[in-house]
Amino acid sequence: MRDVQEEPQVRHAPYSTRRDKRRVKWQNEGHMHITVWRAGKNLKREMGENTQDGTPGSWFKITIPYGRKYDKTWLMSSIQSFCSVPFTPVDFHYVKNQARFFVQDVDTASALKDVSYKICDEENRKISIFVNPSTVPYSVRYKLEPEQMEQLKLTMNKRYDVSQQALDLQCLRFDPDLVGHDIDIILNRRNCMAATLQIIEENYPKLLSLNLSNNKLYKLDGLSDIIEMVPTVKILNLSKNELHLVWELNKMKGLDLEELWLEGNPLCDTFPDQSTYISAIRDCFPMLSRLDGQELSPPVIMDTDTPSLIKPCKESYKGSDTLKSLVLQFLQQYYMIYDSGDRQGLLGAYHDEACFSLAIPFNPEDPAASSLCEYFKESRNMKKPKDPYLCVQPLNRTKRDIVFSLCVLPKTQHDLSSFLVDIWFQTEKMLCFSVNGVFKEVEGKSQGSVRAFTRTFIATPASNSSLCIVNDELFVRDATPNETRSAFSNQEPTLTSSTMPTLSQEQQEMVHAFSTQSGMKLEWSQK
């Protein structure tokens, strides 16, 4: 009889072990669930008895519940860092919400079971790992024979362009050399993809371009191994396949792609417009510069030597030339992309959960009297709406929504020479700064109109010593006559800081050295 005492309405925990291995008690007060393990057999002995032959060569299936939400590279490196023995995952793939792979060794399986609940994710949730005896995994059971591997290698050699370091594997299954030898290579099968990647790793380790179009690919579990095996790939052609979900592309996130082709896949028809499509794909590959043959605006990338923001101090920041340079370079690059006509490149400048709000001095009772009508839909004023929902509605809460909102605002040209920048709060983890200036609209019914703006950024340090925006507040108004007259008066625009200290002889020499090494203009290097 099952040794369990519980209330009838309580459901069982989904990933339970064998019933004769535990006693479960439920206490009504606080609904506390207590699991008491009986003294059991040695884990290795128990696993060995449940395998087909009990030998160290037996296979084990490793399952991570809810593993789908974790990046494969992060998950595997985290498990390896806690595992007492090195291991090689075989047939890593996702099944519903689970991540799953196989290992061949009872010692490895035992070590992996000990890792369970030792890893915490970003939300501080402990990750569980389940280990069960398994049959031989698919890619091993149906591994290509040596003569088949040799023929596949010869076929791929004919398709490799040495000068371009490019491999064309489109319609691979119907290659005459393979069909003539009765070899059926279906890249959706893990054994076929594993064999293909093995040949690439051994023979084309510096591969730059891979064409997998017209292969009826509907999942990318097997292809994701290319991240570790051939990380040099910069151009990937997946056009005219059967990919239905962007989720499949998430499995390739660790690949630093610069060019990607997806046209002809069902997933391309799931987006309401081109802008949303580009945002979703660039979320997977931030460094992407070309999509389906279309040039994309460059992503925001900072290149400074500052690993983190400086610590707060009592004085103003006038002596922090490095911090000042970081902010001014960020603003120059941000507005270069903002004014380029394609603001998708700003996606990499924002945190995933960033917030953006826009406000204008606008009278909703008389919209025709204002020239700021195009900004009204996005404008937010908590004093005006009586419905609290209307105060929150114009607040954009994710980077994708933010960039979408920025894309629908009028196209602009900012006068960098008018910028006044002020850094008003700083810590090691956060930087708050504001920029005031003017811009003109370059399209639409208000083309040529000059506006004044104030923009407040709250940012945190990011990778590559860049800044990551977590909060962005924009205020737009009509420029005054004086602001309009002085706008764009400088032929060579430069950003102006609220403080410009006089440099000593030693500092001037450092500025010249930095300008020479970085290629930056002398006046910019001084800032």
Side-chain angles (χ1 to χ4, degrees):
M1 179 178 292
R2 189 178 172 202
D3 188 13
V4 176
Q5 298 176 4
E6 58 184 345
E7 293 294 331
Q9 71 273 19
V10 177
R11 295 190 306 171
H12 301 301
Y15 299 101
S16 59
T17 55
R18 289 169 28 183
R19 293 179 178 177
D20 60 345
K21 282 290 178 183
R22 65 176 186 175
R23 297 197 315 274
V24 181
K25 294 182 180 180
W26 287 91
Q27 295 182 1
N28 288 330
E29 286 189 29
H31 301 284
M32 184 180 294
H33 180 195
I34 304 175
T35 303
V36 182
W37 292 92
R38 293 175 173 173
K41 302 175 182 178
N42 178 272
L43 179 60
K44 293 182 183 179
R45 186 166 68 247
E46 180 184 344
M47 286 185 171
E49 291 178 359
N50 284 285
T51 59
Q52 293 174 343
D53 54 11
T55 64
S58 301
W59 285 90
F60 297 87
K61 178 175 65 178
I62 314 300
T63 304
I64 298 97
Y66 308 107
R68 178 179 286 271
K69 66 180 181 179
Y70 303 122
D71 173 70
K72 175 189 174 183
T73 304
W74 176 86
L75 185 61
M76 289 294 96
S77 62
S78 299
I79 294 175
Q80 183 66 80
S81 64
F82 281 90
C83 190
S84 59
V85 297
F87 68 93
T88 301
V90 177
D91 276 6
F92 182 97
H93 61 286
Y94 297 97
V95 180
K96 296 184 179 179
N97 287 327
Q98 302 174 352
R100 184 179 296 173
F101 63 92
F102 300 87
V103 294
Q104 184 186 19
D105 184 6
V106 66
D107 290 323
T108 303
S110 178
L112 286 169
K113 190 162 188 177
D114 290 339
V115 176
S116 187
Y117 295 108
K118 290 184 179 179
I119 303 171
C120 292
D121 61 15
E122 292 180 351
E123 299 175 355
N124 206 31
R125 294 177 180 172
K126 293 185 176 181
I127 297 176
S128 55
I129 298 175
F130 293 90
V131 180
N132 299 101
S134 170
T135 57
V136 179
Y138 182 91
S139 64
V140 177
R141 189 186 317 163
Y142 298 103
K143 187 176 181 179
L144 269 62
E145 298 296 333
E147 57 271 19
Q148 294 176 316
M149 288 289 290
E150 185 61 28
Q151 183 58 50
L152 178 58
K153 177 182 174 181
L154 292 174
T155 302
M156 292 171 62
N157 280 338
K158 292 181 179 180
R159 290 166 167 256
Y160 181 63
D161 185 339
V162 180
S163 63
Q164 301 295 321
Q165 293 180 298
L167 182 60
D168 185 358
L169 299 182
Q170 60 175 314
C171 299
L172 183 61
R173 183 183 184 184
F174 302 105
D175 188 288
D177 291 338
L178 296 176
V179 175
H181 289 81
D182 198 24
I183 300 175
D184 196 11
I185 300 296
I186 302 177
L187 293 181
N188 277 314
R189 295 176 178 171
R190 291 198 293 272
N191 62 326
C192 295
M193 183 63 79
T196 303
L197 292 182
Q198 179 184 335
I199 293 173
I200 292 175
E201 181 183 30
E202 294 174 354
N203 297 274
Y204 324 115
K206 296 183 179 180
L207 185 69
L208 295 179
S209 176
L210 178 61
N211 186 350
L212 293 173
S213 61
N214 280 296
N215 279 291
K216 296 188 177 180
L217 291 171
Y218 61 87
K219 59 182 179 180
L220 300 177
D221 290 298
L223 183 60
S224 65
D225 289 336
I226 199 174
I227 299 171
E228 291 83 24
M229 300 175 74
V230 197
T232 56
V233 172
K234 300 296 181 184
I235 303 173
L236 181 61
N237 191 337
L238 295 173
S239 62
K240 299 178 182 177
N241 280 294
E242 301 295 331
L243 299 173
H244 286 77
L245 301 172
V246 175
W247 163 250
E248 292 299 325
L249 297 176
N250 286 335
K251 301 171 185 178
M252 308 292 295
K253 265 189 172 182
L255 206 59
D256 294 329
L257 291 181
E258 297 175 359
E259 183 173 340
L260 178 65
W261 295 77
L262 291 172
E263 60 184 2
N265 282 279
L267 70 83
C268 298
D269 300 325
T270 61
F271 299 96
D273 51 51
Q274 184 72 2
S275 174
T276 308
Y277 169 56
I278 295 174
S279 294
I281 305 305
R282 211 164 197 175
D283 197 25
C284 298
F285 308 104
M287 304 303 297
L288 205 65
S289 59
R290 183 185 289 265
L291 178 61
D292 296 332
Q294 175 186 346
E295 291 284 346
L296 305 180
S297 58
V300 174
I301 304 173
M302 297 296 109
D303 185 18
T304 67
D305 295 327
T306 313
S308 61
L309 303 183
I310 65 169
K311 295 182 179 180
C313 56
K314 294 181 180 179
E315 300 178 0
S316 69
Y317 86 101
K318 63 182 180 181
S320 304
D321 294 332
T322 308
L323 178 60
K324 187 193 310 179
S325 177
L326 172 67
V327 172
L328 297 184
Q329 287 181 57
F330 174 84
L331 290 174
Q332 185 189 44
Q333 199 157 18
Y334 182 94
Y335 282 103
M336 178 186 69
I337 296 174
Y338 191 95
D339 293 342
S340 68
D342 180 9
R343 294 169 182 161
Q344 292 294 330
L346 295 174
L347 197 66
Y350 288 90
H351 187 273
D352 289 341
E353 302 299 326
C355 290
F356 168 75
S357 63
L358 168 68
I360 59 173
F362 187 79
N363 182 7
E365 297 177 358
D366 187 18
S370 173
S371 62
L372 297 170
C373 298
E374 294 184 64
Y375 298 88
F376 176 60
K377 289 183 180 180
E378 300 292 330
S379 181
R380 187 166 179 262
N381 185 350
M382 297 182 67
K383 292 174 61 178
K384 296 295 182 182
K386 297 180 180 179
D387 185 352
Y389 172 72
L390 296 178
C391 295
V392 182
Q393 187 179 18
L395 185 64
N396 295 281
R397 292 184 176 275
T398 67
K399 67 178 182 180
R400 191 171 298 172
D401 290 341
I402 291 172
V403 173
F404 178 80
S405 295
L406 296 179
C407 287
V408 300
L409 294 178
K411 288 181 169 49
T412 57
Q413 180 185 350
H414 284 75
D415 180 8
L416 300 186
S417 65
S418 71
F419 280 18
L420 178 65
V421 182
D422 183 29
I423 300 176
W424 43 272
F425 184 76
Q426 63 200 59
T427 71
E428 284 187 286
K429 301 294 184 181
M430 182 172 63
L431 178 66
C432 305
F433 57 99
S434 301
V435 55
N436 299 273
V438 298
F439 66 85
K440 65 180 178 182
E441 297 183 14
V442 296
E443 283 186 8
K445 56 185 179 182
S446 297
Q447 182 175 356
S449 298
V450 178
R451 316 289 190 198
F453 75 96
T454 298
R455 198 158 195 164
T456 301
F457 294 103
I458 299 178
T460 60
S463 59
N464 300 321
S465 301
S466 65
L467 293 176
C468 179
I469 302 170
V470 295
N471 192 282
D472 177 6
E473 181 183 7
L474 174 62
F475 177 78
V476 179
R477 61 175 173 82
D478 286 318
T480 65
N482 186 46
E483 289 171 328
T484 302
R485 283 193 299 271
S486 60
F488 301 94
S489 57
N490 274 356
Q491 296 299 317
E492 186 174 351
T494 58
L495 289 175
T496 304
S497 167
S498 59
T499 315
M500 184 58 70
T502 303
L503 300 183
S504 66
Q505 180 64 33
E506 181 181 358
Q507 289 173 325
Q508 291 180 22
E509 292 175 359
M510 293 174 63
V511 168
H512 280 281
F514 178 78
S515 176
T516 302
Q517 294 176 7
S518 65
M520 190 180 296
K521 292 182 179 179
L522 189 60
E523 58 267 30
W524 266 97
S525 299
Q526 180 175 339
K527 298 175 182 187

